[in-house]
Amino acid sequence: MDLLTPSIGNLFWTTVVFILLLALLAKFAWSPILSAVRERENNIQDALNQAKLARQEMSQLKEDNERILREAKLERDAILKEAREMKDKIVNDAKDVAKVEGEKMIANAKASIQTEKNAAMADIKNQIGTLSVSIAENILKQKLDNNEAQTALVENLINKSNLN
């Protein structure tokens, strides 16, 4: 049982060795250990601060990206609206020009038709006049072949002209 109960001498030397060990550790080991712990703590705090800054920067970048995306969408919509308006204007202008050109062509066609109609009417009148004179000439030749018919016709014309 002597092994389990320490003797006074053992306790004394164990205490002396322990105090010497504490003194050596305090003189040589505690300050480097504490400075290493403080440095580690500072590094961890810096890393946390940098992570926080990075998170803030990421949040700011995300907001900037969203803002830029919104602006790009608005600009795209404006460009598309302007392009649609331009297309509509060009189409309407083309329709107006085509309408004006069509009306000009119709007017020219009507004028041409009227001119050709007048020319045809004049030609028909000339042909009718020529035909009428020819027919009258033939009729008169047949009726006025003899002298008595000619004399009767002349007297008839004279009587009619005197009455007028």
Side-chain angles (χ1 to χ4, degrees):
M1 253 313 163
D2 285 333
L3 291 175
L4 292 177
T5 56
S7 66
I8 300 269
N10 259 349
L11 280 175
F12 172 76
W13 286 113
T14 305
T15 307
V16 170
V17 170
F18 183 72
I19 291 172
L20 273 174
L21 182 64
L22 280 178
L24 285 174
L25 283 174
K27 183 170 184 165
F28 296 111
W30 285 115
S31 62
I33 291 173
L34 287 177
S35 66
V37 169
R38 274 189 229 112
E39 186 178 331
R40 173 106 171 129
E41 186 179 326
N42 288 338
N43 287 340
I44 291 172
Q45 189 61 39
D46 288 344
L48 289 174
N49 290 337
Q50 288 177 355
K52 186 176 180 180
L53 287 174
R55 231 182 331 237
Q56 289 174 347
E57 287 179 11
M58 287 298 291
S59 174
Q60 184 66 34
L61 286 174
K62 185 178 178 183
E63 290 174 9
D64 288 346
N65 286 342
E66 289 173 359
R67 179 185 50 81
I68 289 170
L69 188 60
R70 281 191 307 269
E71 289 174 359
K73 285 181 181 178
L74 289 174
E75 188 175 340
R76 179 201 64 195
D77 291 343
I79 289 170
L80 288 175
K81 181 181 177 186
E82 184 179 335
R84 274 190 231 105
E85 289 173 356
M86 214 180 255
K87 177 197 73 151
D88 291 342
K89 182 180 181 288
I90 290 170
V91 167
N92 289 336
D93 289 348
K95 284 181 183 178
D96 292 343
V97 168
K99 186 177 178 181
V100 168
E101 289 295 321
E103 288 173 357
K104 282 182 186 179
M105 290 175 69
I106 290 171
N108 288 341
K110 284 181 180 179
S112 175
I113 289 170
Q114 188 63 37
T115 302
E116 290 182 20
K117 180 181 172 184
N118 290 339
M121 290 298 283
D123 188 40
I124 289 173
K125 285 180 184 178
N126 287 337
Q127 288 179 1
I128 289 174
T130 305
L131 189 58
S132 296
V133 168
S134 175
I135 290 172
E137 185 179 303
N138 285 335
I139 291 174
L140 284 177
K141 278 184 184 176
Q142 287 177 359
K143 289 201 173 205
L144 299 178
D145 274 346
N146 61 22
N147 263 344
E148 293 170 8
Q150 286 180 8
T151 307
L153 180 63
V154 170
E155 285 177 8
N156 189 15
L157 287 175
I158 290 173
N159 286 339
K160 283 185 181 180
S161 65
N162 285 339
L163 293 176
N164 289 336

